[in-house]
Amino acid sequence: MPNYKPLPIGVEDFKEIIDKNYYFVDKTLMIKELLDNQSKVALFTRPRRFGKTLNVSMIQRFFEKTDENHSYLFDRLKISEYPDCMQYQGQYPVISITLKGMKQGTYEESFLSFKNTIIKEFSKYEYLLKSEKLAVTERERFYRIYTDTADDREYNFAIALLSDCLYKYYSKKVIILIDEYDVPLENAFARGFYSKMIDLIRSAFESALKTNPSLEFAVLTGCLRVSRESIFTGLNNLNVYSIVNPNFSDAFGFTQKEIDSLLVYYKLESKSDEIKHWYDGYLFSETEIYNPWSVINYISNALVKNNYACQSYWSNTSSNTIIKHLIEEADEDTKATIEDLMNDIPVESPLYEDVTYGEMDVNKDYIWSFLLFTGYLKVMDTRTEGSETIYKMVIPNTEVKNIYKNTIAYWFKDQIKSEKRDDFFEAILNKDAEKVNDHIQFWLAETISYYDEKESYYHGFLAGLLTGFKGYRVTSNRESGNGRYDLFVKSRIGKNTAVIFEFKLAPTEDELEKYADFAIQQIEEKKYEMELKAEHYKKIIKYGIAFCEKVCYTKLSPFSD
């Protein structure tokens, strides 16, 4: 393999990327835009794994005043072409904390994680304890937090305290960086201690950002803007840069130009269309954006094996708990809309930029805003209705569509486990095709369906219904006789009974019965029962089932034993 630069998979420290010569997609002009905009508090909302942490690290390394000169990190990068910007390099004390680790199971454990994060940041500035520039009371408060002997309430104001101490020491106002500020809120919502976490985050932010004379400016990152819980109450200097804001639209994720350069460097230009199909499709304002995490993971694998197939990477890192909650709590209209999305039919809705975890169940339209800001939808068009803007949204790409499918598959599997299926299985064994059909029809109506994978969807649907009955096992798509059958259900002990299922897709509801007959005809012509007879099954039942979207027709073969 050629001697390429390594890909920075999981490397989120800007200094490490530059020092170790990782491939770096240059986002340093974000710093120029920050300086030009002069936002006192800037909140960037982007989906998970779109480069927020790396950008925060880049901002920290640019502005941070340290004993070591870090200006070399920006040599030959885009920001170095702007002397007016470079004069700010290394000139400010910086407080940088991340809340992405606050995912514990209880509030007490999460608060301990918060304390440890604060203590770690204080430890960087241990030398302040000896500074006569600080008042005795300030040094005492600093010492208590630094040594973990402070009262819990003192940690609510710790960021503000540290900024005051640094301001006095350096005679320079402080830059505060808070990465993934809403991770503890999402976790607390899922775990059941949301209100307590809101109180903690509100207290910490108000003192650090709202009434802090030591603040030069602050940058926060997260998935959502959280304001209705009053985290940012009265913060008049807050600018929110969401995915629909034109500012900083190319600062997170990879643009088409950046993707092209990446593929040329690694000599993988032939993968362009496949990568676009799987990982492109996001629109931040009007800028086309690729998922950077998925792209670099795929390229890493493709460099080892050129014919490596695209797969989902983002789904392994982004929390799907909330998506599952939304689907399970959705009313019939919302479920139908999710089903439409999976079948490439857009959803149209107003946009609520301050949608929060605590209010997802209040207004069913909040769901679409939540899915948009967390990366599960993209805006494809807008229109005006009176004074309101309506956003037309679709699933961005193949990778995200797979998340919907897999999440819904698991949700459906859980749902049918809770349903009483004994009557269904008894009807199968009793050769009661009408009752079998009624059960299948009921579950088709209850679940969310997608039709782009045609017969394979119904195959998985029936396999889920038939799996888990004591004393029976399900096999599928294996060679038997002169072809591949769809599903066998076989008794494990005694080999008394086996059931053959064959599925067909009917183009219209009027043709369901005809296609069920085609399925039975195929069972006989392909001699699917040969395998079962060879295994000495005494009773072989055969069903042909035809589907047309959410309607089915089940027919018992007259040749069933």
Side-chain angles (χ1 to χ4, degrees), residues 43-45 48 180-186 189 194 197-199 201-202 205-206 209 220-235 238 240 242 352-359 370 373-374:
L43 169 59
F44 296 96
T45 58
R48 304 277 182 242
E180 302 283 15
Y181 86 94
D182 61 338
V183 165
L185 301 176
E186 178 184 357
F189 175 76
Y194 191 61
M197 187 57 65
I198 285 291
D199 290 341
I201 300 300
R202 180 194 298 123
F205 284 11
E206 278 190 348
L209 306 176
L220 291 81
T221 71
C223 277
L224 301 178
R225 172 185 176 177
V226 181
S227 63
R228 289 183 184 272
E229 291 92 343
S230 301
I231 283 179
F232 300 122
T233 298
L235 196 61
L238 173 70
V240 181
S242 73
Y352 303 92
E353 288 208 53
D354 54 359
V355 62
T356 68
Y357 298 104
E359 294 185 317
F370 180 88
F373 288 119
T374 51

Side-chain angles (χ1 to χ4, degrees), residues 441-455:
Q441 190 73 64
F442 170 78
W443 278 307
L444 275 174
E446 285 297 299
T447 190
I448 296 168
S449 311
Y450 50 91
Y451 312 116
D452 62 320
E453 293 198 8
K454 308 303 180 185
E455 192 173 317

Side-chain angles (χ1 to χ4, degrees), residues 318-512:
S318 184
S319 172
N320 294 327
T321 304
I322 302 298
I323 304 302
K324 186 172 187 290
H325 169 82
L326 293 174
I327 293 171
E328 289 177 341
E329 297 299 319
D331 60 21
E332 290 304 313
D333 288 343
T334 303
K335 285 183 180 179
T337 304
I338 293 172
E339 187 173 277
D340 285 344
L341 282 168
M342 295 177 65
N343 291 294
D344 302 319
I345 300 171
V347 57
E348 294 190 355
S349 170
L351 196 61
Y352 303 92
E353 288 208 53
D354 54 359
V355 62
T356 68
Y357 298 104
E359 294 185 317
M360 284 187 297
D361 300 329
V362 175
N363 181 339
K364 64 181 181 180
D365 285 340
Y366 287 164
I367 291 176
W368 316 122
S369 297
F370 180 88
L371 292 175
L372 174 67
F373 288 119
T374 51
Y376 294 92
L377 291 176
K378 77 162 183 179
V379 174
M380 63 180 296
D381 200 5
T382 60
R383 59 184 172 82
T384 302
E385 270 188 15
S387 61
E388 199 168 43
T389 301
I390 304 298
Y391 290 77
K392 181 183 286 189
M393 295 171 277
V394 295
I395 297 173
N397 53 41
T398 299
E399 180 178 43
V400 178
K401 186 173 243 188
N402 283 342
I403 297 173
Y404 279 80
K405 291 177 181 177
N406 293 335
T407 299
I408 288 169
Y410 285 120
W411 168 81
F412 177 69
K413 190 173 181 180
D414 288 343
Q415 284 289 100
I416 63 175
K417 281 181 179 177
S418 67
E419 300 282 354
K420 183 174 175 60
R421 294 183 295 151
D422 292 345
D423 291 346
F424 170 57
F425 202 69
E426 184 179 345
I428 291 171
L429 299 182
N430 288 338
K431 299 189 279 190
D432 189 339
E434 184 176 350
K435 189 173 286 189
V436 170
N437 197 78
D438 288 344
H439 281 284
I440 296 173
Q441 190 73 64
F442 170 78
W443 278 307
L444 275 174
E446 285 297 299
T447 190
I448 296 168
S449 311
Y450 50 91
Y451 312 116
D452 62 320
E453 293 198 8
K454 308 303 180 185
E455 192 173 317
S456 63
Y457 165 74
Y458 297 104
H459 188 283
F461 171 82
L462 259 297
L465 282 176
L466 295 165
T467 299
F469 288 100
K470 188 175 181 180
Y472 289 84
R473 63 190 177 97
V474 176
T475 62
S476 64
N477 281 326
R478 295 183 182 176
E479 294 286 352
S480 181
N482 299 322
R484 286 183 176 273
Y485 60 84
D486 279 332
L487 284 177
F488 280 177
V489 179
K490 302 191 285 189
S491 57
R492 294 177 181 273
I493 301 172
K495 296 191 175 181
N496 293 317
T497 305
V499 186
I500 301 173
F501 289 93
E502 185 64 30
F503 315 128
K504 293 293 178 186
L505 295 183
T508 66
E509 290 186 30
D510 291 339
E511 297 176 274
L512 281 168

Side-chain angles (χ1 to χ4, degrees), residues 157-382:
F157 310 98
I159 301 173
L161 170 65
L162 182 55
S163 64
D164 289 343
C165 294
L166 288 169
Y167 181 32
K168 284 191 173 183
Y169 184 84
Y170 286 103
S171 298
K172 195 90 173 179
K173 290 190 176 183
V174 179
I175 294 171
I176 297 176
L177 309 175
I178 302 175
D179 187 34
E180 302 283 15
Y181 86 94
D182 61 338
V183 165
L185 301 176
E186 178 184 357
N187 178 68
F189 175 76
R191 306 275 193 168
F193 50 90
Y194 191 61
S195 60
K196 287 185 177 180
M197 187 57 65
I198 285 291
D199 290 341
L200 171 62
I201 300 300
R202 180 194 298 123
S203 297
F205 284 11
E206 278 190 348
S207 59
L209 306 176
K210 180 181 175 183
T211 56
N212 186 359
S214 302
L215 178 67
E216 177 68 21
F217 70 82
V219 172
L220 291 81
T221 71
C223 277
L224 301 178
R225 172 185 176 177
V226 181
S227 63
R228 289 183 184 272
E229 291 92 343
S230 301
I231 283 179
F232 300 122
T233 298
L235 196 61
N236 298 322
N237 53 4
L238 173 70
N239 287 318
V240 181
Y241 300 106
S242 73
I243 61 174
V244 297
N245 191 298
N247 300 94
F248 301 94
S249 62
D250 62 352
F252 301 88
F254 294 164
T255 65
Q256 185 64 57
K257 185 177 180 180
E258 289 164 344
I259 286 288
D260 293 342
S261 298
L262 188 64
L263 296 181
V264 167
Y265 176 80
Y266 288 105
K267 296 181 171 55
L268 291 172
E269 299 98 314
S270 63
K271 305 293 184 182
S272 178
D273 289 344
E274 191 175 5
I275 288 173
K276 187 177 186 66
H277 180 66
W278 272 78
Y279 311 124
D280 187 20
Y282 298 93
L283 278 179
F284 294 173
S285 185
E286 296 180 0
T287 304
E288 181 183 357
I289 294 291
Y290 286 71
N291 182 325
W293 172 255
S294 299
V295 168
I296 64 172
N297 272 277
Y298 171 72
I299 290 176
S300 177
N301 287 317
L303 287 173
V304 177
K305 183 180 179 183
N306 187 263
N307 62 348
Y308 193 83
C310 286
Q311 59 178 275
S312 296
Y313 298 98
W314 191 62
S315 60
N316 294 329
T317 61
S318 184
S319 172
N320 294 327
T321 304
I322 302 298
I323 304 302
K324 186 172 187 290
H325 169 82
L326 293 174
I327 293 171
E328 289 177 341
E329 297 299 319
D331 60 21
E332 290 304 313
D333 288 343
T334 303
K335 285 183 180 179
T337 304
I338 293 172
E339 187 173 277
D340 285 344
L341 282 168
M342 295 177 65
N343 291 294
D344 302 319
I345 300 171
V347 57
E348 294 190 355
S349 170
L351 196 61
Y352 303 92
E353 288 208 53
D354 54 359
V355 62
T356 68
Y357 298 104
E359 294 185 317
M360 284 187 297
D361 300 329
V362 175
N363 181 339
K364 64 181 181 180
D365 285 340
Y366 287 164
I367 291 176
W368 316 122
S369 297
F370 180 88
L371 292 175
L372 174 67
F373 288 119
T374 51
Y376 294 92
L377 291 176
K378 77 162 183 179
V379 174
M380 63 180 296
D381 200 5
T382 60

Side-chain angles (χ1 to χ4, degrees), residues 80-94:
S80 66
E81 299 172 11
Y82 295 88
D84 289 348
C85 295
M86 290 303 298
Q87 66 177 320
Y88 294 98
Q89 198 283 316
Q91 296 302 305
Y92 293 88
V94 175

